[in-house]
């Protein structure tokens, strides 16, 4: 999952490297800084996070909204 909405928008090479390594990239589905609740819902089944300014709280990382 990609948290920051701008990640890869100026240079798509980092995203391509992730995809070329066999990972599915999930973009930020809300188009703004994600809330704690947004993150908790979006992180199901992910193996990694590219973090921005989103609130990666204990609650989010535990998968509860």
């Amino acid at each position: 999952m990609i948290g920051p909405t701008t990640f890869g928008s100026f240079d798509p090479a980092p995203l391509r490297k992730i995809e070329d390594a066999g990972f599915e990239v999930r973009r930020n589905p809300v188009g703004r800084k994600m809330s704690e609740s947004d993150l908790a819902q979006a992180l199901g089944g992910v193996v990694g996070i590219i973090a921005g300014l989103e609130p990666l709280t204990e609650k989010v990382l535990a998968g509860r909204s």
Side-chain angles (χ1 to χ4, degrees):
M1 171 171 163
I2 304 299
T5 51
T6 58
F7 184 82
S9 61
F10 299 105
D11 180 5
L15 288 175
R16 278 197 304 268
K17 283 186 177 192
I18 294 168
E19 291 171 330
D20 289 348
F23 295 98
E24 174 189 352
V25 175
R26 292 188 201 170
R27 304 288 287 176
N28 177 328
V30 295
R32 59 170 163 69
K33 181 180 169 187
M34 296 175 79
S35 70
E36 187 177 59
S37 179
D38 294 333
L39 281 168
Q41 292 176 15
L43 291 180
V46 302
V47 296
I49 301 168
I50 297 175
L53 299 175
E54 288 76 19
L56 295 174
T57 63
E58 182 177 346
K59 185 186 220 182
V60 167
L61 296 176
R64 299 184 307 268
S65 55

